Amino acid sequence: MANFETPALREYPIIPLIHAGTMAHSKPYVAKPEHQKPLGFPGTLVDNWESVAVKKLGELVDESRALRVFLDTCVKCGSCTDKCHYYLGTSDPKNMPVARQDLLRSVYRRYYTLSGKLFPKLVGARDMTKDVLDEWYSYFHQCSQCRRCSVFCPYGIDTAEVSMAARDIMDAVGLGQKYSNEIIAKVHSIGNNLGLPEPALRNTLDGLEEDVKDETGVDVKFPLDEKGAEVLLITPSADFFAEPHIDGLIGYAKVFHQAGIRWTMSSHASEAANFSMFIGNHENMHKVAIRIREAALDLGVKRIVVGECGHAWRVAYAFWNTLIGPFDFLDRNYPIPQHICEFTYDLIQRGALTLDKSANDDKIVTYHDSCNVARATRMGSMPGGQFVIPRAVIKAVVNKFHDMEPESIHENTFCCGGGGGLLTDDLMEIRVKGAQPRMQALKHVVDDHGVNYLAAICAICKTQFAKVLPYYQYPMDMIGSVHGLVSKAIQLGTKE
Amino acid sequence: MSALTITYAVLFYVATAVLVGGVAYKVYVYASTPAPLKIPTTPAPTTRLGVMGRMLREVTVFESLFKSNKWIWLFGILFHFALLLVLLQHLRYFTQPVWGWVVLEQPFGIYAGFIMVVGLLGLWARRFLVDRVRYISSLSDHLMLALLVAIAFSGLAMKFVVHTDIISLKQFFLGLLAFQLQPLPADPILLVHLALVATLMIVFPMSKLLHAPGVFFSPTRNQVDNPREHRHVAGWSASINNPGGR
Ligand code: SF4
Ligand code: SF4
């Protein structure tokens, strides 16, 4: 299948010994000028890039307490070294979170600390050279910004923040990643990651209405740009097109239908994803997100609900209020924004949905906590609601559910391997290897309980698993959407 | 007054100034650097009080470290708590009369010195024995441990091997506090011990020892998880001005 070996799945997880340089060759395609310019970045590597990079680093440290504290406080205790799925899957020591941070910390020390200026060798400080830049490009694109390391660090040092900063610096000197930047440019010009214009979107949604009608005999609407709707649904554009995502979208539509809530999607803001977070650039993050505020105001909605997408939920939950708030024009009686799982859970609690679990009796289900949902957001009012609510929704629609081992779920969850802007074919090797810890935990529930359905609430996880499951000898259609399960169980025509 | 006494007096004034001034400066810098976005590592407390609890657990029982690695946790907690007891025990050289609870603490403080060494050697051993930790250790990480171990050994040597003139030593430090120079006993082990301690004080604000004040400023640990309920703005995010709304 490829020119690398898929890591073996074992009886027990092991921590590999280090093998330096095993992933040094991994590099995503470099962004071309036409991908860079729309984001406000130089098209190609600028001449005085060393000084630009160093200056940008200083600015980022000045404007982010997190970055400053993280760069100063690491004691090299080593407790994060075995926590990154990319290290576990590749054994490349530069994929240990602290070593990844050190790629940038070494430069910070050299230019911004007394000890690094005076005794660079002693404290491991390095000049900003081309080799260093190349190493950044390679290893900061082997971090899915999943925050697993942050959970286990005694100071909460979050390597995701460091890799976001490194990518922002690389963009500032003209060395961008094609995959992310091309996508962000598409959102700026068209409104979604897929570059799907309004007519195509409308077409797709009409097609879905017909499909659901054929299948259920019920007129479930997939409204677009409907002024005066109560709810604006913001969902990842993958939900419009890709399998198994689309089953999720059908699920949301059926839930809205049965609850009798008027809802709409927007062609202006037809994307929940915000890849600007991955490249650590807040101007672009704001520019992508503001479309949602504009759409909500324009359509006059009262609530915003967000579809199944991990990093999008982080941006929505944790950043929207800051970036595109205040939301004084929305109904304060509901969380702003609300996750589709919170929305469905609420309806289930109130008995507003008719669900037949036995419709999913062909499935034995486990649930993958997506990193950004698990470690950067919440659902409901209780800390940890992000673990409880999706599982409660699943258990309301299936009879057979088994969790994976505790070390690999909730806040300990392992990344799918494709997050943080790595979901591109030019990074296939790191994606497959990085999925090893998750696949390992999956294997145990497959072997012990016959699990045949891996439910997730993240567009990236779904695409990534569909791609990597076969490398580990599992069928690609084992991955599915939580609302795909809801879609199957919901009994339309019973509550109208 | 001997040159030696003057040298050490100057050394300790400088070291204290660097330590206090340096840490104060760093704390000021941390406090004044904005945290523009909400980034607590979740699940996180949803109230200020809850965050104080989380922080307290981090700095007293090293909660995250315990979840992460029992060996580092064990050696880390042995070292830090022993160090705390030892520091408290040393208060007796700076107080006259010695505070009652410091007197009561003396026996613990003395034996804590050994525990401190055990913790340090455990942590240091990991830097050699665990390949991952060996890989991330730089020269300064080893030197830092060497410095701490040397301080501990020289201190223990004075307690259990060759006693030093405690009375004069105390006069020296009380003198420093009152800005009146008193002679320092010219005892080699004592001089080594004091020089190393002064070195530690001086490197503190420019080294990873900043983790002590830094931990309180870590946004992933000290932020309240309430971004939907409360609009958070700081730094660049404070200058965002969105049109529309009411
Ligand atoms: S756990 Fe934290 S302090 Fe320890 S090495 Fe990793 S980043 Fe540094
Ligand atoms: S954020 Fe995730 S991918 Fe990045 S270093 Fe930490 S554990 Fe690894």
Side-chain angles (χ1 to χ4, degrees):
Chain A
M1 223 184 295
N3 56 352
F4 59 86
E5 234 176 281
T6 304
L9 302 184
R10 300 187 184 78
E11 222 32 66
Y12 300 99
I14 58 149
I15 302 164
L17 292 174
I18 62 174
H19 291 101
T22 48
M23 288 307 289
H25 59 277
S26 175
K27 284 185 172 57
Y29 293 142
V30 175
K32 300 206 176 75
E34 69 258 35
H35 311 131
Q36 290 279 95
K37 288 278 160 59
L39 282 65
F41 304 140
T44 51
L45 195 63
V46 296
D47 288 336
N48 57 337
W49 64 268
E50 296 95 333
S51 55
V52 176
V54 169
K55 183 160 165 283
K56 179 80 184 174
L57 171 59
E59 288 167 12
L60 291 180
V61 168
D62 281 341
E63 67 183 31
S64 166
R65 183 185 297 163
L67 191 59
R68 190 190 289 281
V69 170
F70 295 166
L71 291 177
D72 273 353
T73 47
C74 171
V75 295
K76 311 292 166 75
C77 69
S79 76
C80 62
T81 54
D82 56 352
K83 301 299 185 286
C84 178
H85 50 289
Y86 292 120
Y87 173 70
L88 295 173
T90 66
S91 67
D92 187 321
K94 289 196 172 118
N95 279 327
M96 301 187 297
V98 45
R100 197 186 314 283
Q101 298 155 24
D102 275 348
L103 300 176
L104 187 123
R105 184 178 287 116
S106 56
V107 175
Y108 166 75
R109 287 215 167 131
R110 183 74 184 101
Y111 297 93
Y112 294 103
T113 68
L114 189 65
S115 50
K117 283 178 191 164
L118 297 177
F119 315 106
K121 283 262 151 40
L122 188 71
V123 297
R126 299 188 298 177
D127 288 328
M128 185 75 226
T129 63
K130 189 69 176 46
D131 286 346
V132 170
L133 186 69
D134 288 343
E135 212 173 36
W136 282 18
Y137 194 72
S138 178
Y139 288 100
F140 285 119
H141 290 110
Q142 297 184 47
C143 170
S144 58
Q145 307 174 342
C146 75
R147 314 189 94 202
R148 191 168 195 267
C149 44
S150 160
V151 169
F152 294 99
C153 172
Y155 316 109
I157 296 177
D158 180 8
T159 316
E161 291 294 317
V162 178
S163 81
M164 287 169 190
R167 293 187 194 175
D168 201 20
I169 296 168
M170 290 189 282
D171 275 325
V173 301
L175 181 65
Q177 184 216 22
K178 174 171 177 274
Y179 173 68
S180 295
N181 292 5
E182 188 177 22
I183 281 177
I184 296 164
K186 265 189 231 161
V187 182
H188 287 339
S189 63
I190 300 169
N192 56 61
N193 285 8
L194 296 177
L196 210 60
E198 193 258 349
L201 189 55
R202 195 170 291 277
N203 220 330
T204 309
L205 297 176
D206 288 349
L208 284 178
E209 282 181 7
E210 279 166 35
D211 292 351
V212 177
K213 171 95 184 175
D214 287 349
E215 194 197 321
T216 65
V218 180
D219 280 311
V220 174
K221 294 282 169 233
F222 288 77
L224 185 66
D225 295 335
E226 275 201 16
K227 290 212 181 214
E230 179 172 350
V231 172
L232 170 63
L233 176 80
I234 300 290
T235 205
S237 58
D239 280 358
F240 302 129
F241 249 85
E243 280 295 344
H245 313 58
I246 209 157
D247 302 331
L249 178 61
I250 295 172
Y252 320 151
K254 289 182 180 173
V255 169
F256 282 115
H257 177 88
Q258 189 160 72
I261 295 173
R262 262 191 81 196
W263 66 294
T264 184
M265 288 170 276
S266 156
S267 60
H268 178 66
S270 46
E271 182 61 70
N274 194 332
F275 279 27
S276 317
M277 183 177 87
F278 299 154
I279 63 166
N281 186 275
H282 61 80
E283 283 94 359
N284 279 289
M285 190 153 75
H286 179 259
K287 196 171 161 189
V288 168
I290 195 76
R291 299 178 81 99
I292 292 151
R293 180 186 175 88
E294 290 160 358
L297 282 166
D298 180 48
L299 296 168
V301 296
K302 291 277 156 277
R303 305 164 60 180
I304 304 180
V305 171
V306 181
E308 297 182 1
C309 184
H311 84 283
W313 180 237
R314 180 179 189 187
V315 176
Y317 170 85
F319 303 159
W320 272 2
N321 204 358
T322 298
L323 290 175
I324 60 170
F327 291 120
D328 42 11
F329 54 94
L330 295 173
D331 185 346
R332 296 264 167 193
N333 292 316
Y334 298 93
I336 310 171
Q338 189 174 28
H339 194 278
I340 187 72
C341 285
E342 290 179 304
F343 179 81
T344 301
Y345 176 72
D346 236 37
L347 293 169
I348 295 172
Q349 296 296 96
R350 291 196 273 125
L353 303 179
T354 310
L355 302 165
D356 176 13
K357 294 186 190 189
S358 66
N360 283 313
D361 271 353
D362 54 329
K363 304 183 189 75
I364 305 169
V365 180
T366 194
Y367 175 68
H368 166 76
D369 290 281
S370 297
C371 338
N372 273 299
V373 175
R375 291 185 280 256
T377 73
R378 174 164 48 98
M379 289 182 202
S381 52
M382 289 291 292
Q386 68 269 37
F387 313 132
V388 177
I389 289 178
R391 285 177 173 80
V393 170
I394 294 172
K395 286 176 188 165
V397 296
V398 309
N399 277 314
K400 298 170 227 166
F401 177 82
H402 297 278
D403 254 323
M404 289 179 274
E405 54 217 9
E407 299 76 33
S408 74
I409 58 170
H410 295 189
E411 72 264 39
N412 301 332
T413 187
F414 281 112
C415 172
C416 63
L422 309 193
L423 193 72
T424 167
D425 284 350
D426 40 318
L427 292 175
M428 210 55 220
E429 179 176 357
I430 191 72
R431 285 171 56 190
V432 170
K433 292 183 173 175
Q436 192 265 356
R438 170 44 79 224
M439 289 295 120
Q440 174 106 26
L442 177 66
K443 175 181 157 56
H444 292 162
V445 283
V446 170
D447 294 352
D448 295 351
H449 303 288
V451 162
N452 61 11
Y453 192 95
L454 176 62
I457 52 168
C458 170
I460 290 177
C461 295
K462 291 171 198 169
T463 305
Q464 159 76 354
F465 283 132
K467 197 85 177 213
V468 302
L469 278 165
Y471 282 85
Y472 291 92
Q473 318 305 325
Y474 293 115
M476 66 181 287
D477 58 7
M478 198 172 162
I479 174 71
S481 165
V482 166
H483 275 78
L485 296 170
V486 174
S487 174
K488 280 270 161 358
I490 200 164
Q491 303 297 299
L492 294 181
T494 54
K495 281 249 159 110
E496 262 86 288
Chain B
M1 215 37 70
S2 72
L4 184 75
T5 299
I6 295 172
T7 311
Y8 270 77
V10 171
L11 180 63
F12 269 90
Y13 281 130
V14 169
T16 308
V18 171
L19 175 68
V20 174
V23 170
Y25 171 72
K26 273 292 178 181
V27 164
Y28 166 76
V29 170
Y30 292 154
S32 58
T33 306
L37 292 171
K38 277 276 182 162
I39 58 166
T41 313
T42 58
T46 53
T47 60
R48 261 280 127 222
L49 198 67
V51 164
M52 283 157 72
R54 181 185 206 180
M55 205 46 112
L56 200 68
R57 293 195 303 278
E58 286 295 357
V59 299
T60 54
V61 297
F62 302 177
E63 184 179 43
S64 299
L65 192 56
F66 183 76
K67 250 191 296 192
S68 182
N69 188 307
K70 302 290 185 281
W71 283 114
I72 308 178
W73 178 83
L74 179 68
F75 293 131
I77 212 141
L78 284 180
F79 164 65
H80 283 89
F81 276 93
L83 176 66
L84 180 67
L85 291 178
V86 169
L87 285 176
L88 294 178
Q89 188 243 341
H90 278 66
L91 278 178
R92 71 177 178 136
Y93 302 118
F94 300 90
T95 49
Q96 183 67 357
V98 178
W99 303 332
W101 62 268
V102 176
V103 176
L104 293 179
E105 194 262 353
Q106 289 306 304
F108 302 102
I110 291 165
Y111 292 101
F114 290 103
I115 296 179
M116 190 173 134
V117 170
V118 170
L120 284 170
L121 292 181
L123 290 172
W124 208 353
R126 287 185 56 83
R127 295 211 182 275
F128 291 103
L129 299 179
V130 181
D131 67 334
R132 302 187 309 280
V133 188
R134 196 185 321 138
Y135 181 89
I136 58 166
S137 301
S138 66
L139 190 54
S140 59
D141 299 314
H142 288 287
L143 287 180
M144 193 63 78
L145 283 161
L147 181 62
L148 288 164
V149 168
I151 289 172
F153 272 128
S154 53
L156 287 169
M158 282 182 286
K159 183 72 209 169
F160 295 100
V161 189
V162 271
H163 291 273
T164 196
D165 181 355
I166 299 283
I167 310 290
S168 314
L169 174 69
K170 180 160 179 172
Q171 289 310 319
F172 172 76
F173 276 112
L174 288 174
L176 285 187
L177 288 175
F179 296 101
Q180 283 164 359
L181 241 48
Q182 302 289 335
L184 176 71
D187 178 346
I189 304 184
L190 175 67
L191 295 181
V192 168
H193 186 70
L194 293 182
L196 294 176
V197 169
T199 310
L200 185 72
M201 291 164 73
I202 290 169
V203 297
F204 194 101
M206 33 202 137
S207 68
K208 65 175 184 177
L209 299 183
L210 282 172
H211 69 277
V215 58
F216 294 99
F217 291 93
S218 177
T220 54
R221 292 291 183 270
N222 76 6
Q223 285 186 339
V224 181
D225 178 28
N226 62 354
R228 290 193 289 193
E229 295 79 8
H230 196 89
R231 182 162 187 244
H232 169 89
V233 294
W236 60 257
S237 67
S239 54
I240 290 175
N241 218 331
N242 294 316
R246 270 189 208 126

